[in-house]
Amino acid sequence: MWYAIVGNDVPASLARRESARPAHLERLNTLRNEGRLLLAGPFPAIDSDDPGPAGFSGSLIVAEFEDLAARRAAADADP
């Protein structure tokens, strides 16, 4: 079944987001390579491809998981 994972950033989290990005993208690539990723992306805090210091307000992942428990486990394990 397809599930959405919505992440909400906390204020001043851009540095943490940037440091977690490589591991996060690796997890997304695994889902993509398994044919289970429908879409994923950030929510820029301003209307720009590169929001700079404004950062992001959150992100969205839509992927296929066996059940809600598997979706929760994937969300909890994401950096």
Side-chain angles (χ1 to χ4, degrees), residues 9-35:
D9 285 26
V10 297
S13 62
L14 185 58
R16 286 179 30 202
R17 175 185 268 272
E18 289 172 344
S19 68
R21 190 168 192 263
H24 171 70
L25 292 178
E26 185 176 323
R27 293 176 60 80
L28 292 177
N29 284 331
T30 298
L31 287 171
R32 185 191 67 206
N33 293 340
E34 293 172 352

Side-chain angles (χ1 to χ4, degrees), residues 42-79:
F43 303 144
I46 60 173
D47 189 17
S48 173
D49 288 338
D50 181 4
F56 302 88
S57 62
S59 57
L60 171 69
I61 299 169
V62 178
E64 187 174 27
F65 296 98
E66 182 177 322
D67 54 28
L68 185 57
R71 196 265 326 154
R72 284 187 178 135
D76 290 345
D78 195 79

